Amino acid sequence: MSLIRALSKELEARSDDSLRALFDARPDLISPPVPDFSALAARASARLSVQRALERLNRPQMQVLETLHLCTNTDTGHSASAAGLRKMIPGSSGAAVERILHTLQELALVHRAEPPHGTPDSAAKQRHYLPVGSLKDVVGIYPAGLGRSYTELVRLQPAFAQRVVQLVSELHRSGVAIHDATTPMEAALALQHWTSSPDALNSILSTAPERTTALLARFRNWAMGAVPQAQRKASITTEGSDVGPVDWLLARGLLVPLDAAHLELPHSVGLSLRGGAIINDFTLQPPVPELGRTSAVLRRNAALSAISETLRLMGELLHAVRDQPLATLRSGGVGVREMRRLAELLRIDHQQAGLLLELAALAGLIRLDVDSSSWVQPPQLEWLALPRQEQWLWLVNAWLASERVPSLVGQPINGSRGGPAAHRSASGSTIIALSAEAQRPDAPLVRKRILEILHELTVEAGPADGTAPVLDAAAVLQRAEWAQPRMARRFSSMIRGVLSEAELLGLVGSGALSQLGSALAEDNPEAALAILGEHLPAALSHVLLQADLTAVAPGYLAPALTEKLLVLADAEGQGPATIYRFSEASIKRALDTGYDAAGIMDFLREHSATAVPQPLQYLVEDTALRHGRLRVGTAASFVHSEDEGTLLELLSGPKAAALKLEKIAPTVLVSSAPPRETAQVLRSLGLSPSVDGADEPVVRLRGTHTAQDARPVYTAPRTAPGTEEVEAQLAVLRQGGAAVGHRGGSGDHTGETGTQLGLEALQRAIRLKQRISMNVVDGLGNANLETVVPLSVSGGRVRVFDPAKETERVLSIHRIIDIEAAGESAPVRDFPA
């Protein structure tokens, strides 16, 4: 019976609560909705859906599922029970394995099946299970780290098939207790029988050279390994006393060469090395890492210090970008020179500058101007005016939701060796800031999961005398590998970067998860905001002016104050207690931006905790006296009138504000707008100006952009569908199930269901090497019945062998109408028209 149809019947027999739990665990099953239980079973058996479901399983669940896969045969319907699996998993119990199988059944990854033929009555009463059909493709060729059987290796490795008969014959002639063989398949079966038990393998290895046992131990958890010159054909009759362990194992077929540098340990050898067990490290409890401790006060202070420093640097970065936008390279991203300039302005290293720049971009604090191909600060940026705790939450929300990974800046591309981004070109081997290579679609899911693991380990460690556990990348990765082993590679590639980013944002302090990080791990940003508002010191609005022409910031300054100080003085040093040095050049810079001496002195008196030193006052006044004797301005048009009252009305009224008028003489105003536009605005006010220079083209002014970018609001990655969506799907399934039952079950041969049934039938025929009869539509729309042997299927195409013509062909699956096993009357597969 089709596995999809069997799963469909089981799903239809479930209660609504059971289906709700299934949709909660596997939301992709009803996105988009399915019309009936047959389609639901087909989607639950699809490779992509099964792969997603396996990513959520923990290690003991994966171990039981892989053991079930190895102990069953979905083609012949050979099922297995919890008692049978327990024998292959030392350290487990029948009850534990049964509970896990029940969980897997609830997830629609396995389903109930009839016991194998010939099962004793006592064992037949136990529950027997089969996995979904696509599990074989999802778990790969090495389930549980065991290799393929000798028979499969003979079929798939032509080089091994050519020499396996000679290998077995040499073993037989040398007195080894192995049956002689005349065909590759007989030789494979002989090797399989020879190595089928731990005692037999120990007897074989008793005469092995030194280091053989150590070499085989490397294959204990994975069947394939890399060994130079793996294709050497060592002969058992000619080997000397100094033969190495690799040649010795190759000569006896205990290792099978795959290519010039890779070997595979066959299934029976690997199983015997494990003492006849498939799983040897089964445990229901996650590993408990040995963690250091740090004081809660130190953790809090480190987190608050990191947050304050990040907010300070972010304010300086925005000021730097506003003054001089960051140009992009043709290939995308910000180049080495721009990053070096930014790092020097912020007085930090290039790696930290890259992190901050990426954080600013993903938070929307800077954006790419497509007209100038530069990163600029948006006008009227709301972030600058927010309280410090809300600025922090803005950054954290954007970080949690972003698919960009700031810590990838400076990392090698495609595994090549590389250094900091500042030392590599855009076409080099490292990822540069704001380039496409720093994009990772699964980043939000991985970040959230890492925060949850940090929280789990923190809660498990518990408080002890005002201390908190120190969590490093190794401890988090160890728990992640147990909780979600199929995502271990993703965690390992991002864990250190995520922890460094979390430390930058104060989610981790002094190596321990902060209270802020715990609140966000529990999806409680309001609590994090309250904690930060209580403990984060308020920004200062004053500095200490010194007689040596410096201003010392006694703490973290308000962004507006920092921005003005950076115009009046040059920042020196690092950290919160920044020193700002006044000089003639810095005062001239302020005067050029529109300040005057009186305004500068008023600003200094307002924000100084002490009196303004006399040397600084002399510097400002003397520089202002020498500044501005000649003035250079910009004007696109002028307005001349002998009526001074009309000009004063225009200058003071709001209606002509868009012209940006300035008075340069009692009867002359200048405007930044072109003459024609200036005239058009004046006419709209009821005046009748004349235009000099009629050849000037009309240029319309763009309205000032005042729209503010919306604050980023983090939404946790969707892990469950909504209640309304689930209830609507249940109603459709119950109605569809009743309709299908009324039609006699004919409704499962169309659409998604039909496609999955067809692929299931083709793959089963490929594994069993069965002939099939199928109707194939040609280019003219004519259907032809053909009997062929399918060889492989992938990418919407199936490769078949035609025994009548003795040729191979490749057919498109969409041209196949139906399939049935040769000699059977009932169709195995109906493809949707």
Side-chain angles (χ1 to χ4, degrees):
M1 182 180 183
S2 166
L3 295 175
I4 294 177
R5 290 193 177 99
L7 181 59
S8 174
K9 289 184 177 181
E10 184 173 292
L11 291 174
E12 188 172 1
R14 288 192 183 190
S15 65
D16 286 354
D17 288 341
S18 177
L19 291 174
R20 290 188 186 97
L22 173 63
F23 300 152
D24 186 70
R26 298 179 64 178
D28 60 295
L29 295 186
I30 58 173
S31 180
V34 292
D36 50 42
F37 283 101
S38 296
L40 179 63
R43 188 174 295 177
S45 302
R47 176 174 180 172
L48 182 58
S49 180
V50 173
Q51 183 174 337
R52 289 174 177 169
L54 263 56
E55 288 177 351
R56 300 183 179 96
L57 299 184
N58 58 33
R59 182 180 294 168
Q61 291 171 340
M62 275 302 305
Q63 289 173 334
V64 170
L65 185 60
E66 289 179 330
T67 304
L68 178 68
H69 166 60
L70 291 172
C71 294
T72 57
N73 190 321
T74 55
D75 297 326
T76 61
H78 183 84
S79 59
S81 65
L85 298 183
R86 185 185 63 81
K87 298 177 182 178
M88 308 302 293
I89 310 177
S92 66
S93 64
V97 175
E98 186 67 53
R99 284 196 303 270
I100 292 176
L101 286 172
H102 178 71
T103 301
L104 297 174
Q105 183 183 8
E106 290 295 311
L107 293 172
L109 294 173
V110 305
H111 58 85
R112 293 284 299 276
E114 295 295 326
H117 180 69
T119 303
D121 293 340
S122 58
K125 296 179 181 179
Q126 300 174 358
R127 296 187 182 93
H128 285 72
Y129 300 88
L130 279 174
V132 293
S134 58
L135 183 65
K136 180 179 178 65
D137 297 327
V138 176
V139 299
I141 61 176
Y142 301 131
L146 291 171
R148 292 166 289 184
S149 65
Y150 278 109
T151 55
E152 193 172 2
L153 289 169
V154 163
R155 182 168 58 87
L156 298 176
Q157 295 294 127
F160 180 62
Q162 291 176 4
R163 62 180 292 263
V164 67
V165 174
Q166 178 185 356
L167 185 150
V168 171
S169 297
E170 290 179 356
L171 287 172
H172 180 72
R173 287 195 300 269
S174 65
V176 174
I178 187 172
H179 297 289
D180 202 358
T182 57
T183 65
M185 193 56 66
E186 289 180 357
L189 293 173
L191 286 171
Q192 194 162 305
H193 178 74
W194 185 47
T195 58
S196 60
S197 68
D199 293 339
L201 184 63
N202 290 334
S203 176
I204 297 169
L205 296 177
S206 61
T207 59
E210 294 182 4
R211 304 188 309 277
T212 302
T213 303
L215 176 64
L216 288 176
R218 299 181 183 180
F219 292 89
R220 186 173 296 277
N221 295 321
W222 194 247
M224 188 183 71
V227 179
Q229 299 179 347
Q231 289 279 21
R232 287 187 295 178
K233 300 179 182 179
S235 171
I236 192 171
T237 59
T238 59
E239 61 182 11
S241 58
D242 59 344
V243 66
V246 174
D247 291 335
W248 191 90
L249 293 168
L250 285 171
R252 286 155 179 79
L254 301 180
L255 286 178
V256 174
L258 301 179
D259 53 37
H262 295 89
L263 302 168
E264 181 172 331
L265 190 75
H267 178 88
S268 58
V269 181
L271 198 62
S272 296
L273 281 176
R274 299 183 183 185
I278 294 177
I279 304 297
N280 281 323
D281 57 348
F282 183 84
T283 176
L284 294 174
Q285 300 301 322
V288 179
E290 295 183 4
L291 304 176
R293 310 288 299 192
T294 186
S295 69
V297 174
L298 184 59
R299 176 188 63 175
R300 184 193 64 190
N301 292 344
L304 295 177
S305 176
I307 292 171
S308 298
E309 182 71 358
T310 298
L311 296 180
R312 181 185 70 83
L313 290 173
M314 189 62 69
E316 290 194 17
L317 183 147
L318 295 178
H319 175 77
V321 173
R322 190 185 66 179
D323 281 356
Q324 185 174 350
L326 295 172
T328 60
L329 302 172
R330 291 183 180 180
S331 57
V334 179
V336 174
R337 293 181 181 177
E338 288 287 76
M339 288 302 303
R340 183 181 296 116
R341 177 178 67 83
L342 182 63
E344 291 174 354
L345 286 174
L346 300 181
R347 306 171 305 284
I348 56 178
D349 58 47
H350 299 90
Q351 188 70 23
Q352 190 176 4
L355 280 172
L356 285 170
L357 190 60
E358 283 280 346
L359 189 60
L362 64 86
L365 305 185
I366 60 174
R367 68 183 184 189
L368 182 63
D369 183 7
V370 295
D371 295 330
S372 62
S373 294
S374 299
W375 288 90
V376 299
Q377 177 187 317
Q380 305 297 324
L381 183 61
E382 179 189 5
W383 186 86
L384 292 170
L386 292 176
R388 299 176 76 196
Q389 62 267 25
E390 293 189 25
Q391 288 182 337
W392 170 82
L393 188 60
W394 179 311
L395 296 178
V396 170
N397 280 340
W399 175 72
L400 287 171
S402 176
E403 294 184 352
R404 294 194 63 81
V405 182
S407 57
L408 289 180
V409 174
Q411 297 300 314
I413 298 177
N414 298 328
S416 59
R417 295 180 62 185
H423 303 295
R424 300 283 170 171
S425 65
S427 58
S429 58
T430 58
I431 298 174
I432 62 175
L434 303 182
S435 63
E437 287 80 6
Q439 200 83 3
R440 294 292 184 273
D442 57 348
L445 180 64
V446 173
R447 283 194 197 102
K448 186 62 167 60
R449 190 69 189 101
I450 288 176
L451 279 181
E452 291 173 348
I453 292 174
L454 287 169
H455 182 63
E456 291 172 8
L457 292 173
T458 301
V459 172
E460 290 175 8
D465 300 328
T467 63
V470 175
L471 303 166
D472 57 5
V476 178
L477 187 58
Q478 184 184 33
R479 175 57 61 88
E481 288 176 343
W482 184 90
Q484 293 176 274
R486 288 187 65 85
M487 289 188 65
R489 291 186 62 182
R490 294 192 228 175
F491 283 115
S492 63
S493 64
M494 293 179 59
I495 177 66
R496 288 171 178 81
V498 169
L499 289 179
S500 65
E501 295 164 11
E503 188 172 5
L504 185 73
L505 293 169
L507 304 179
V508 173
S510 189
L513 185 69
S514 67
Q515 290 179 304
L516 303 172
S518 294
L520 291 175
E522 296 178 321
D523 296 325
N524 193 356
E526 292 80 9
L529 202 61
I531 293 170
L532 192 60
E534 179 183 354
H535 295 287
L536 187 65
L540 300 177
S541 59
H542 67 274
V543 293
L544 302 177
L545 295 178
Q546 306 290 322
D548 61 351
L549 301 181
T550 61
V552 178
Y556 294 97
L557 303 179
L561 177 57
T562 301
E563 183 177 350
K564 292 180 180 179
L565 278 174
L566 289 173
V567 175
L568 293 169
D570 297 314
E572 297 178 351
Q574 295 179 337
T578 306
I579 297 175
Y580 298 88
R581 183 170 298 280
F582 298 93
S583 64
E584 183 178 352
S586 68
I587 299 299
K588 284 182 179 180
R589 181 174 66 225
L591 295 171
D592 289 338
T593 60
Y595 283 90
D596 57 21
I600 294 175
M601 292 304 300
D602 290 341
F603 171 79
L604 293 177
R605 293 188 186 99
E606 179 184 358
H607 295 286
S608 175
T610 58
V612 178
Q614 196 173 52
L616 180 57
Q617 181 177 353
Y618 287 163
L619 174 66
V620 173
E621 293 174 350
D622 292 347
T623 305
L625 286 175
R626 296 190 299 271
H627 184 270
R629 293 179 179 178
L630 294 177
R631 297 186 62 188
V632 178
T634 301
S637 61
F638 68 89
V639 180
H640 175 264
S641 176
E642 296 299 333
D643 187 353
E644 296 183 18
T646 301
L647 295 183
L648 289 175
E649 185 178 353
L650 285 175
L651 191 63
S652 59
K655 296 182 179 180
L659 298 178
K660 298 181 179 179
L661 297 171
E662 292 186 15
K663 185 177 180 180
I664 61 173
T667 59
V668 180
L669 302 179
V670 294
S671 171
S672 60
R676 286 189 177 275
E677 184 171 350
T678 301
Q680 184 178 359
V681 173
L682 295 179
R683 290 189 184 105
S684 68
L685 298 178
L687 303 175
S688 301
S690 61
V691 181
D692 294 337
D695 295 336
E696 177 73 15
V698 176
V699 179
R700 299 186 181 276
L701 281 178
R702 296 178 180 177
T704 303
H705 178 74
T706 58
Q708 297 177 351
D709 295 334
R711 300 189 192 185
V713 178
Y714 169 70
T715 302
R718 185 183 180 189
T719 57
T723 304
E724 295 182 359
E725 185 179 351
V726 171
E727 295 304 321
Q729 179 64 84
L730 285 174
V732 170
L733 286 173
R734 294 307 182 192
Q735 295 172 3
V740 170
H742 181 70
R743 293 193 303 266
S746 62
D748 62 353
H749 289 261
T750 59
E752 186 176 358
T753 308
T755 301
Q756 287 299 123
L757 284 170
L759 291 175
E760 181 187 49
L762 283 173
Q763 290 167 348
R764 182 174 184 272
I766 291 170
R767 290 192 293 266
L768 298 180
K769 298 182 180 180
Q770 288 181 337
R771 294 190 181 190
I772 59 172
S773 297
M774 60 185 183
N775 274 320
V776 183
V777 179
D778 58 22
L780 300 177
N782 301 316
N784 302 312
L785 183 63
E786 302 181 13
T787 300
V788 296
V789 178
L791 302 177
S792 63
V793 58
S794 64
R797 295 176 179 272
V798 57
R799 185 167 63 92
V800 300
F801 174 72
D802 191 338
K805 299 178 181 179
E806 295 187 350
T807 58
E808 289 187 9
R809 288 185 298 154
V810 177
L811 303 173
S812 296
I813 290 180
H814 72 271
R815 291 189 175 275
I816 303 174
I817 300 177
D818 59 57
I819 293 176
E820 63 181 27
E824 295 184 7
S825 58
V828 175
R829 158 72 161 99
D830 288 341
F831 283 87

